[in-house]
Amino acid sequence: MYNLMSQFSSFISKPFFEMANSLESWPILFAFILGLVGALAPCQLTGNISAVTLYGNSSIQKKIMWKDVFNFTLGKIAAFSLLGGLVWLLGKGIEQNLILYFPWIRKLMGPLLIIVGIYLLGFIKLTGTFNLFKGSKEYKLGHPLGSFMLGFSFSLAFCPTMFILFFVTLMPLVLSSSYGFILPSIFAVGTALPLLFVISLIWYLGGSGALTKKGRRFGTIIQRIAGAVILLLGIFDTITYWSL
């Protein structure tokens, strides 16, 4: 199953990877396009599709979730900047130690998506810091830390493709460039581009709160559909990375 995901990822990311290679003399553009390639990596696909489903559903139902999308993107920036900073400070040897942790972090992503999907389907109630979906008069997606941690954790879902893109392809440029310290952040924004594009498209087309006029019942149906999609992605992700 992972091989199928890798083949699909390779097919859709190949044009962007070729574009990135042609821009290697322009480090900022190179890092940004490389991040977009990273967004299409096998280990990032389910997370990005889930984020698009989650925030897109909320934006269409109530209002554009700019604040939560920003915090999600900020979480990704923090994750990749932290990794880049560790390599910058401690040297390439730190990569070997990080490899030991990435597979376990990656495995947590599937169960997390399953929990989110089950919640959106209405089977469980979550409270506290990670109550991402509790409604209110303003329909906040929850505490800002929730979206931040979601972006942070999704970014640490590394696989061989993502490892090569970040540590093997990007980091040498980071270490050799006079302003290399900002490149991991640019890379992170690139990985969030699919989500930013979809939310911007919803906003541009006037889709913000489009389902409000349809009534609460219709909105609930759409939420259940989004929950089912995320639940299926979580099951698929768990089967793939837990080798079930």
Side-chain angles (χ1 to χ4, degrees), residues 130-211:
F130 291 97
N131 182 9
L132 302 180
F133 319 105
K134 185 177 180 180
S136 68
K137 291 182 179 180
E138 298 179 356
Y139 198 76
K140 294 180 181 179
L141 197 58
H143 195 284
L145 182 60
S147 294
F148 178 88
M149 290 305 299
L150 203 62
F152 189 91
S153 59
F154 280 9
S155 299
L156 297 181
F158 269 68
C159 57
T161 301
M162 195 65 173
F163 184 88
I164 291 173
L165 289 175
F166 186 79
F167 287 107
V168 179
T169 307
L170 179 66
M171 285 310 301
L173 188 61
V174 170
L175 296 173
S176 62
S177 175
S178 59
Y179 51 92
F181 64 94
I182 70 169
L183 297 184
S185 298
I186 302 299
F187 179 89
V189 174
T191 65
L193 186 62
L195 173 62
L196 296 172
F197 173 78
V198 171
I199 299 301
S200 298
L201 185 63
I202 293 173
W203 170 78
Y204 178 77
L205 296 177
S208 177
L211 297 183

Side-chain angles (χ1 to χ4, degrees), residues 10 12 47 61 66 71 81 85 117 122 134 139 145 149 151 163-164 181 190 192 207 210 212 217-218 231 234:
S10 177
I12 61 177
Q61 284 203 54
W66 287 122
N71 287 320
S81 297
K134 185 177 180 180
Y139 198 76
L145 182 60
M149 290 305 299
F163 184 88
I164 291 173
F181 64 94
T212 302
R217 182 178 179 182
F218 189 78
L231 176 61

Side-chain angles (χ1 to χ4, degrees), residues 114-126 224 231:
I114 290 175
I115 293 174
V116 172
I118 291 175
Y119 178 87
L120 290 178
L121 288 172
F123 293 116
I124 60 174
K125 301 294 182 181
L126 300 177
R224 297 292 187 268
L231 176 61

Side-chain angles (χ1 to χ4, degrees), residues 78-88 98 102 156 158 166-167 171:
F80 286 112
S81 297
L82 177 61
L83 290 175
L86 287 174
V87 176
W88 181 285
L98 291 174
F102 285 144
L156 297 181
F158 269 68
F166 186 79
F167 287 107
M171 285 310 301

